């Protein structure tokens, strides 16, 4: 933590250690630590998971089935049924309007918790079970004497996330006391009042108090708004300060280009550029012309034509006398890119070479020698480019395809030199806007939303298994016309062995009885690389006509002649993954078709497949995907790099995110970095308050 000014230090030292806080003690203090609560301030920021309006209860008679309700009543009867596999505790309770059964499965100890005559609050969904209304495994709280004017009843009540050893009621009391005793000293609002009133934000102490014990839902909304703003603002402030420091410290080569360069480039292309491509070209030319290192993301769906945009950047760099490196995650893709890029660069008189670990020693020797002498302007390659003896003489630009396939270390390897090369990263993984605003917050983004003209969207069908023979006949007809097909099987890790067996068996069947007239190949993750690549190449040459694959088909494999895809057990793939897979087809002149076989057991699963038959825009799909899965899922392991916001929700708080980002930007743009050395500066206090050190430049 940064040094605090003297008065602050005194204020903080007045606060007790967490174990001396009223109601906590050494045992609970340890539990709190596992939840990340180390100080009184952390405790005050330990916010409820939800709220219950206990100023009014739903009467039992009017509780609508299927919706969460909070009822209050008196226990009339407690019954225990020791069914062996699923012991049941049944609690019959009633209010003035009627009675309701609460049913608890697998919690036999509850029979000792409840007693007839107790007053109790239940929260849960009322269901109709065999004609009777009941509430299953509800959250409950037994009302005690004196509760009426307490933290627990007669108000909007906080419900905290629990863990072993922490109980709702005691937690509520601890927080109520902590807010009363410590709030004013633990929380000082670092935000200037002028900014607060301009953005209509409540003072921090009031916000924190109302996050726990709001008098009304309006107060709660205002409190939440302030906390959400703080979370986003804090994130962007740190990030932008760090970026500003980097930008003033690092200098990149100035690569300028007049309009004639654009004309020269366009005149060599076999097609007109899309407007997204034109815009991306302009973005890049503008970035390269300044000494601030470019850090741009080219984000576009599969087939949107990102490669040619990167080629333009290589061309500008080469004409200005600088070298470019293009990093590509796999060998097959690197070869493919190399072929395309050579075609684009040849008429522009810019030489390009390919470096992978398969390049023989002689050729490799020539490449590295030319690079070192500055005789080779563009190098395309895999991780092989990152080896120590590959030395550039004046590297000005680094482009990276599917940048998430490279580690941070690998990505930075080529950048750490003076002057610092410009960077262009490319991704075909569309992510929803709000996520992009945080995950890619340190990048400038060129979005490629429109597709090259004439591209026909893939027709997608969701088919039941019974129709399979019909689909296979149809596919065979297309194969007979010279086209090619993919058949994809999902492999899920836990059951991979069984799945692989199933895929192999189906492969044999397809080969012998379904497509006997056509050459058919199988690729899966258990094949070693050379074998897999030789099959992929045979498919690329059109020798193999049907490729049976687990999801290992490389992102970016470009085989315009492949026009049909069948996806088996499609319900086992995620929406985004299905879209990526489907992107392997629809790359040529002929209209492509995708057949999804799948029998999802959930409504959500059905929705996914239905969406895919309707949508082809990867960005829309990503947004729908996020809505279906919710942000909780994103914060898991799946999407790394998603910053954690505890209260803010990327799905619903977009407006706040943008407000906070724009505010942070205005402030940091105008900020004199030297001012940060002054601990009295409100930004310093703002970031310091959060108990995390100020960002240091990397
Ligand atoms: P991706 O964005 O998936 O990397 P590519 O750069 O591989 O897309 O482009 C896909 C195909 O579209 C390539 O064959 C490319 O030559 C072609 N292409 C790119 N831009 C255009 C355009 N403006 N008009 C027509 N075809 C284009
Ligand atoms: Mg590509």
């Amino acid at each position: 933590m940064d040094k605090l000014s003297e008065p602050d230090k005194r204020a903080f030292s007045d606060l007790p250690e967490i174990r001396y806080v009223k109601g906590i003690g050494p045992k609970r203090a340890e539990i709190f630590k596992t939840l990340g609560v180390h100080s009184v301030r952390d405790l005050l920021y330990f916010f409820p998971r939800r709220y219950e309006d206990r100023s009014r209860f739903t009467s039992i008679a009017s509780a609508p089935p299927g919706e969460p309700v909070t009822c209050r009543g008196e226990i009339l009867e407690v019954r225990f049924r020791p069914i062996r596999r699923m012991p049941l505790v049944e609690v019959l309770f009633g209010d003035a309007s009627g009675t309701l059964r609460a049913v608890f499965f697998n919690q036999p100890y509850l029979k000792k918790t409840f007693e007839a005559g107790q007053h109790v609050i239940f929260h849960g969904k009322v269901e109709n079970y065999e004609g009777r209304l009941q509430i299953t495994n509800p959250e409950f709280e037994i009302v005690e004497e004196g509760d009426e004017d307490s933290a627990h009843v007669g108000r909007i009540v906080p419900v905290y996330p629990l863990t072993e050893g922490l109980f709702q009621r005691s937690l509520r009391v601890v927080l109520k006391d902590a807010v009363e005793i410590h709030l004013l000293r633990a929380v000082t609002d670092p935000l200037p009042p002028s900014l607060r009133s301009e953005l209509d934000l409540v003072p921090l102490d009031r916000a924190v108090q109302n996050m726990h014990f709001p008098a009304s839902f309006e107060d709660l909304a205002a409190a939440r708004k302030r906390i959400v703003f703080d979370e986003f603002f804090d994130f962007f402030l740190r990030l932008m300060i760090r970026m500003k420091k980097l930008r003033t410290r690092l200098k990149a080569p100035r690569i300028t280009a007049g309009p004639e360069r654009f004309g020269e480039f366009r005149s060599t292309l076999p097609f007109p550029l899309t407007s997204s491509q034109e815009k991306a070209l302009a973005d890049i030319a503008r970035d390269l012309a300044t000494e601030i290192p470019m850090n741009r993301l080219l984000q576009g769906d599969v087939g949107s034509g990102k490669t040619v945009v990167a080629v333009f950047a290589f061309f500008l760099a080469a004409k200005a006398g600088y070298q470019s490196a293009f990093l590509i995650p796999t060998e097959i893709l690197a070869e493919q890119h190399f072929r395309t890029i050579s075609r684009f660069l040849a008429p522009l008189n810019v030489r390009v070479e390919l470096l992978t670990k398969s390049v023989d020693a002689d050729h490799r020797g020539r490449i590295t020698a030319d690079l070192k002498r500055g005789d080779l302007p563009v190098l395309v390659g895999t991780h092989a480019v990152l080896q120590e003896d590959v030395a550039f003489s004046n590297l000005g630009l680094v482009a990276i395809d599917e940048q998430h396939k490279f580690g941070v270390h690998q990505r930075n390897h080529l950048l750490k030199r003076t002057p610092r090369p410009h960077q262009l990263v490319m991704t075909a993984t569309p992510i929803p806007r709000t996520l992009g605003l945080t995950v890619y917050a340190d990048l400038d983004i060129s979005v490629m939303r429109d597709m090259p003209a004439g591209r026909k969207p893939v027709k997608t069908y969701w088919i039941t298994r019974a129709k399979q023979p019909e689909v296979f006949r149809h596919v065979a007809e297309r194969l007979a016309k010279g086209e090619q097909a993919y058949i994809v099987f999902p492999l899920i890790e836990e059951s991979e062995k069984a799945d692989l067996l199933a895929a192999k068996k189906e492969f044999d069947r397809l080969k012998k009885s379904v497509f006997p007239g056509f050459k058919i190949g199988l690729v899966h993750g258990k094949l070693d690389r050379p074998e897999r690549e030789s099959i992929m190449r045979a498919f690329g040459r059109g020798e193999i006509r049907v490729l049976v694959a687990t999801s290992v088909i490389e992102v970016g494999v470009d085989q315009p002649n492949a026009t049909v895809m069948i996806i088996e057990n499609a319900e086992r793939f995620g929406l985004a993954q299905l879209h990526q897979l489907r992107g392997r087809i629809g790359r040529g002149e002929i209209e492509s078709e995708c057949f999804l076989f799948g029998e999802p057991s959930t409504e959500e699963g059905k929705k996914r497949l239905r969406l895919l038959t309707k949508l082809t825009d990867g960005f829309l799909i990503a947004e729908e995907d996020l809505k279906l899965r919710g942000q909780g899922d994103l914060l898991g392991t799946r999407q790394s790099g998603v910053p954690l916001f505890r209260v803010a929700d990327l799905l619903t708080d977009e407006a706040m995110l943008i407000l906070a980002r724009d505010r942070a930007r205005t402030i940091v743009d105008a900020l004199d970095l030297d001012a940060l050395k002054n601990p009295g500066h409100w930004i310093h206090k703002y970031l310091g308050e959060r108990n995390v050190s100020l960002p240091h430049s990397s």
Side-chain angles (χ1 to χ4, degrees), residues 437-498:
L437 290 173
T438 53
V439 176
Y440 298 140
D442 59 340
L443 299 168
D444 295 310
I445 307 185
S446 297
V447 178
M448 311 247 295
R449 200 108 193 209
D450 53 351
M451 288 284 171
R455 184 84 27 99
K456 299 188 181 76
V458 177
K459 281 224 166 99
T460 304
Y461 308 90
W462 172 25
I463 307 268
T464 55
R465 175 110 329 147
K467 292 245 176 91
Q468 210 184 38
E470 218 175 293
V471 172
F472 283 153
R473 264 197 304 281
H474 175 74
V475 172
E477 276 166 29
R478 296 196 71 152
L479 292 173
K481 289 188 204 149
E483 298 165 33
Q484 289 172 285
Y486 294 102
I487 301 180
V488 186
F489 287 85
L491 284 194
I492 306 265
E493 270 165 63
E494 315 112 52
S495 54
E496 201 167 337
K497 257 197 192 136

Side-chain angles (χ1 to χ4, degrees), residues 586-604:
R587 312 190 129 230
E589 314 268 284
I590 312 169
E591 183 164 273
S592 294
E593 291 171 309
C594 178
F595 299 94
L596 308 169
F597 289 126
E599 271 116 55
S601 53
T602 64
E603 231 359 88
E604 190 198 309

Side-chain angles (χ1 to χ4, degrees), residues 486-684:
Y486 294 102
I487 301 180
V488 186
F489 287 85
L491 284 194
I492 306 265
E493 270 165 63
E494 315 112 52
S495 54
E496 201 167 337
K497 257 197 192 136
D499 284 336
L500 188 55
L501 261 173
K504 280 182 177 159
K505 222 169 125 195
E506 182 62 6
F507 169 69
D508 286 334
R509 189 179 78 88
L510 291 167
K511 191 164 146 179
K512 286 202 193 86
S513 14
V514 183
F515 302 114
F518 304 101
K519 188 153 193 238
I520 160 168
L522 172 68
V523 287
H524 55 78
K526 289 269 155 26
L527 285 183
D528 54 12
R529 267 243 308 249
E531 199 174 347
R532 194 161 82 214
E533 291 182 352
S534 103
I535 295 173
M536 293 301 292
R537 287 195 182 97
F539 186 70
R541 288 191 302 269
E543 284 160 25
I544 289 179
R545 304 293 301 288
V546 180
L547 188 68
V548 177
T550 61
S551 40
V552 297
I553 316 179
E554 316 277 1
V555 171
V557 166
D558 191 18
Q559 180 65 359
N561 193 46
T563 53
V564 190
M565 175 174 284
I566 291 174
I567 303 181
E568 294 272 358
N569 298 324
E571 76 279 0
R572 286 165 69 177
F573 288 111
L575 200 47
Q577 207 181 1
L578 287 169
H579 174 68
Q580 285 284 334
L581 280 171
R582 183 173 60 175
R584 308 295 112 238
I585 57 171
R587 312 190 129 230
E589 314 268 284
I590 312 169
E591 183 164 273
S592 294
E593 291 171 309
C594 178
F595 299 94
L596 308 169
F597 289 126
E599 271 116 55
S601 53
T602 64
E603 231 359 88
E604 190 198 309
K606 288 178 189 154
K607 215 165 174 180
R608 273 210 300 266
L609 299 190
R610 225 176 288 131
L611 273 171
L612 213 68
T613 64
K614 289 196 199 113
L615 300 179
T616 52
D617 181 330
F619 288 90
L620 290 181
I621 290 176
E623 259 152 43
E624 292 300 324
D625 197 27
L626 180 59
K627 277 187 213 149
L628 278 177
R629 292 191 287 139
Q631 87 157 355
D633 199 50
L634 288 167
L635 301 180
T637 48
R638 217 185 286 199
Q639 285 253 359
S640 55
V642 181
L644 282 173
F645 299 111
R646 290 199 300 178
V647 178
D649 181 331
L650 290 174
L651 276 178
T652 54
D653 293 321
E654 178 174 352
M656 211 55 198
L657 183 152
I658 289 170
L659 180 74
R661 182 199 60 181
D662 293 350
R663 262 298 138 168
R665 179 172 294 151
T666 320
I667 289 163
V668 174
D669 279 351
L671 184 70
D672 176 0
L673 285 179
D674 285 336
L676 282 181
K677 296 191 183 122
N678 166 18
H681 195 287
W682 72 267
I683 287 188
H684 192 101

Side-chain angles (χ1 to χ4, degrees), residues 253-556:
R254 206 187 279 276
I255 297 174
T256 52
E260 72 288 351
R261 283 267 184 260
F262 285 79
E264 194 182 345
F265 184 70
R266 283 191 205 100
S267 71
T268 60
L269 296 176
F271 44 68
L273 293 168
T274 65
S275 56
S276 293
Q277 284 170 324
E278 286 288 1
K279 169 130 196 324
L281 257 50
D283 289 344
I284 289 171
R286 205 178 343 99
D287 288 353
L288 294 182
T290 77
E291 281 186 326
I292 298 171
M294 172 168 81
N295 198 12
R296 182 166 292 278
L297 172 73
L298 200 53
Q299 191 188 16
D301 218 338
V302 279
S304 59
K306 294 185 289 295
T307 317
V308 69
V309 174
V311 169
F312 176 70
F314 304 154
F315 166 62
L316 293 190
K319 291 295 164 186
Y322 288 97
Q323 294 173 307
S324 301
F326 190 12
L327 287 179
I328 294 152
T330 73
E331 204 154 311
I332 291 192
L333 281 179
E335 287 170 11
Q336 193 177 288
H337 270 110
F338 172 64
R339 279 194 301 273
T340 346
I341 290 170
S342 306
R343 266 203 313 273
F344 285 127
L345 285 177
L348 295 161
N349 290 317
V350 177
R351 188 179 146 216
V352 52
E353 290 285 353
L354 172 72
L355 185 63
T356 66
K357 66 173 178 21
S358 305
V359 168
D360 67 51
D362 272 5
H363 190 45
R364 187 176 196 280
R366 277 195 303 277
I367 289 176
T368 50
D370 285 355
L371 267 184
K372 206 174 279 170
R373 267 203 314 276
D375 284 347
L376 176 57
V378 183
L379 183 65
V380 172
T382 53
H383 297 80
V385 172
L386 303 175
Q387 258 147 26
E388 280 312 316
D389 64 325
V390 181
F392 293 82
S393 76
N394 55 349
L395 185 63
L397 173 71
V398 175
I400 309 178
D401 200 15
E402 295 303 330
Q403 108 272 16
H404 58 275
K405 300 264 171 80
F406 292 89
V408 179
H409 221 67
Q410 295 173 321
R411 275 185 278 162
N412 287 336
H413 175 82
L414 290 176
L415 296 178
K416 290 206 163 134
R417 64 185 69 222
T418 316
R420 184 170 172 108
H422 295 283
Q423 183 179 213
L424 180 67
V425 297
M426 297 150 75
T427 179
T429 312
I431 61 170
R433 231 179 83 79
T434 43
L435 255 191
L437 290 173
T438 53
V439 176
Y440 298 140
D442 59 340
L443 299 168
D444 295 310
I445 307 185
S446 297
V447 178
M448 311 247 295
R449 200 108 193 209
D450 53 351
M451 288 284 171
R455 184 84 27 99
K456 299 188 181 76
V458 177
K459 281 224 166 99
T460 304
Y461 308 90
W462 172 25
I463 307 268
T464 55
R465 175 110 329 147
K467 292 245 176 91
Q468 210 184 38
E470 218 175 293
V471 172
F472 283 153
R473 264 197 304 281
H474 175 74
V475 172
E477 276 166 29
R478 296 196 71 152
L479 292 173
K481 289 188 204 149
E483 298 165 33
Q484 289 172 285
Y486 294 102
I487 301 180
V488 186
F489 287 85
L491 284 194
I492 306 265
E493 270 165 63
E494 315 112 52
S495 54
E496 201 167 337
K497 257 197 192 136
D499 284 336
L500 188 55
L501 261 173
K504 280 182 177 159
K505 222 169 125 195
E506 182 62 6
F507 169 69
D508 286 334
R509 189 179 78 88
L510 291 167
K511 191 164 146 179
K512 286 202 193 86
S513 14
V514 183
F515 302 114
F518 304 101
K519 188 153 193 238
I520 160 168
L522 172 68
V523 287
H524 55 78
K526 289 269 155 26
L527 285 183
D528 54 12
R529 267 243 308 249
E531 199 174 347
R532 194 161 82 214
E533 291 182 352
S534 103
I535 295 173
M536 293 301 292
R537 287 195 182 97
F539 186 70
R541 288 191 302 269
E543 284 160 25
I544 289 179
R545 304 293 301 288
V546 180
L547 188 68
V548 177
T550 61
S551 40
V552 297
I553 316 179
E554 316 277 1
V555 171

